[in-house]
Amino acid sequence: MIRDADGSERTVELRDGVMRIGRAAGNEIVIGDASKGVSRTHAELHIDGSRCTIVDLHSQNGTWVNALRVQRAEVRPDAEIAIGVFRLRLQGAPAVAATGRPAPRAQPATIIAPKPASVAGPPPPLPSPPPSPPPSMPAPQLSPRGTISDLPLMAAGQGVTSPVPMPAIPQPSAPQAAAVQKPKRSSLPFIYGGIGAVAMIALAVALFSIPQKPLGRPAAPGATPPAPAAAAPAAQAQPQPAAPASTTPPPALPVAPPAPTTDGAARSATRPASRPSTPPPPATPAARSSVPPAPAPPAATRSSQPPSASRGRASAATPSAAVRTTAENLPVPRKPGESLQDWQTRSSALQARYAFAKVALDRGDYSAAAGGFAAILLEEPGFLDTPQLLVKAREGLRSAAAEAIESGNKLDASGDWVNALKKYDQAREIDRAVPGLEEAIKRVRDKMRVAGTDALRRARQFDALGRFADALTEYEKAAQWLSPEDPNQQIARGRADQLKARQR
Amino acid sequence: MIRFRACLVASITVAATAAGAAPLSAQAPAAPAPAEYGRAMKLDTQVFESANKQIRLEYPKRDWEIVPRAGATMIPGVTSPIVSLVHRRREAAVVIEQTKLHQPLALDDITDLFGQLEVDSVRERQPQASDVKAKLVEAGGRRFVIVTYARQGVSGPERVRQYSIPAGADLFRLTCVAAASHFARYEPIFAHVAASFTVTAGGTQ
């Protein structure tokens, strides 16, 4: 019986000889698969009396018997063949197997369509199974029994759960189960095989879990095991971080001491094993002090995120982001009575400010950098190398301001007072305390006032005698040079507008 | 040579103004020379007052006569003669014109530029004029321009002194002409007429 993806079922009776299975219409057993998990000519069933052998025809996704990819394997009545997303099961038993007479009608095949995605259960590994068996999956050659017939026991869920995706094997119905039990054979091999598989899976699980502990925090040579600090909360002092029942406070991040303090020791003792995927790299105190954290997004974007959200995003982004979010890189000392979450939030905010200011410093925005560093130092004096960077930013400010003043002086000398004043204003925005800046600004503004007044006089004289084009030019100069507070600027602008309208 | 120099000065001034070179604050106008502007103490004069009572001046009683002209214009930019004072032997004359300005000029608005503009105006109206010079002066509480130049008249070369006196929204030009050979003789009369020239702001138009 074949049950297609659309739910339709059909039964194919097997006959003696070779029957091809595939997507192409010329096969004896045609499996229509829109996802093309089934090759055109996927496999062959060689039926010889009581024996049924399946041969993979170099299909792309392989042929799987009892969750093992096979090139050629004997198929027993209780075995399940996985081709693409389809399951094929032999129903019935070769009644005349012992006699050697062919009994093609006695072996119908059932092909079961995959379960819908919404159905809970083990995800189907096909149509893209791994090219080689995963480490946790015992290879048939390593099976204690040496036969693939042992595997249905664990694939059927008899007390063993594989950590890797396994083909979904439906529980056989009562007749099918009866059919499975029909072959009179000893169950001892199955039991042995199951025990062996359980042992191997347990070994694989143990191997997977081994890296979690050494990667969590490298033990310093000769270091004594850290002891929980007396001041640490009880939840942090729990040396068993893997206990998921304890939810308050959530130790979402592994905590390591930035300095060999008792508080740091307490933090190191509360390392949870719930995040094995992003183990923090070994960090020495020297490395932490010399290498600042990686640049982070602006504080405006990060500070609004809850710590857990920002940590999750960071760990999913880049390794450097994962490094940044670990407490081992937090050079912020914990305040007395500060909760772990508050401490991490404060540290993250400081680091975000630090990264923002450092980016500003790198791009030459000394004003923003100096402001950022100063704000950091107000909150956390001595944060990383912020004092040094603040000095650097302020030096950059002074240098940039001096350059702006120099440019302004050149523009002033050339008579381009408007742009000279812009340069001076720019210098004042950078660093208000630059010597000579206010005098330069006053000097240029005085020149502009005088020149604007003269321009207005010229404009009026031109205007009085009917030379409007010249008058307009001078009015515009006057409007440009005179300050907005000067009423003559409004006069000049107004008359210029009138002359423009007259020209039009 | 003199003509070339005058043209050169004018060109430099106009070019500097048009190019927007670094403007300098206007220098304070100088006081006119006594021969250019001032009342003649021993001159027997009489008063002329325009029909609309806007202008008033003094001119010699002897040998000078009034030639009335049309009234003042109210059209901006248009120049119209008000009165002409002519010497009986036609050796000298004073022509008074009024031009309505497009914009009124205050005292501080009048700078050297105004003299240059007057020079341009002279050149425009009298292309044959030569040795055109302008001088901004301030006297009697008013600031005005004295333009001098030479031209070829009907009976020979003439010297001209023009007083360009802005007054509010009006510009009055007192063009004093004499034969070049007699200009020194009539110069005190020209200075007296200009110094006695007054404009009544609220004159009846």
Side-chain angles (χ1 to χ4, degrees), chain A residues 417 450-451 454 457-458 460-468 474-475 477 481 495 502, chain B residues 17 19-20 23-26 101-103 105 108-111 113-114 117-118 120 171:
Chain A
W417 300 309
V450 171
D454 286 347
R457 287 176 181 149
R458 288 194 301 275
R460 281 175 172 162
Q461 294 173 80
F462 282 126
D463 195 4
L465 296 176
R467 293 175 59 165
F468 301 120
E474 296 300 323
Y475 277 130
K477 287 180 183 175
W481 289 336
R495 183 58 182 162
R502 184 188 184 120
Chain B
T17 304
L24 300 175
S25 182
L101 298 176
H102 294 271
Q103 289 286 316
L105 288 175
D108 290 341
D109 292 336
I110 302 167
T111 65
L113 174 64
F114 192 77
L117 296 177
E118 284 298 281
D120 293 343
L171 170 63

Side-chain angles (χ1 to χ4, degrees), chain A residues 134-151:
Chain A
S136 61
M137 180 183 293
Q141 292 80 6
L142 298 178
S143 172
R145 301 298 299 172
T147 60
I148 61 173
S149 60
D150 297 336
L151 292 172

Side-chain angles (χ1 to χ4, degrees), chain B residues 33-56:
Chain B
E36 295 174 327
Y37 184 86
R39 291 177 179 269
M41 301 304 290
K42 298 179 179 178
L43 187 63
D44 190 11
T45 61
Q46 56 185 331
V47 175
F48 168 80
E49 193 172 55
S50 64
N52 57 9
K53 312 287 185 185
Q54 188 181 14
I55 67 169
R56 183 179 184 277

Side-chain angles (χ1 to χ4, degrees), chain A residues 225-250:
Chain A
Q236 297 180 32
Q238 296 287 336
Q240 298 296 331
S246 175
T247 56
T248 55

Side-chain angles (χ1 to χ4, degrees), chain A residues 105-165:
Chain A
R105 303 282 189 274
Q107 289 186 337
T110 300
I111 299 177
I112 303 171
K115 294 181 179 180
S118 60
V119 177
L126 303 176
S128 298
S132 60
S136 61
M137 180 183 293
Q141 292 80 6
L142 298 178
S143 172
R145 301 298 299 172
T147 60
I148 61 173
S149 60
D150 297 336
L151 292 172
L153 288 178
M154 62 179 199
Q158 295 181 358
V160 178
T161 302
S162 173
V164 297

Side-chain angles (χ1 to χ4, degrees), chain B residues 128-141:
Chain B
Q128 302 301 320
S130 62
D131 195 13
V132 183
K133 294 179 181 177
K135 183 168 67 172
L136 179 70
V137 295
E138 185 169 347

Side-chain angles (χ1 to χ4, degrees), chain A residues 6 17 69 78 94 244 265 335 365 404 455 464:
Chain A
D6 56 357
R69 186 168 188 171
D78 54 349
K335 294 178 180 177
D365 189 356

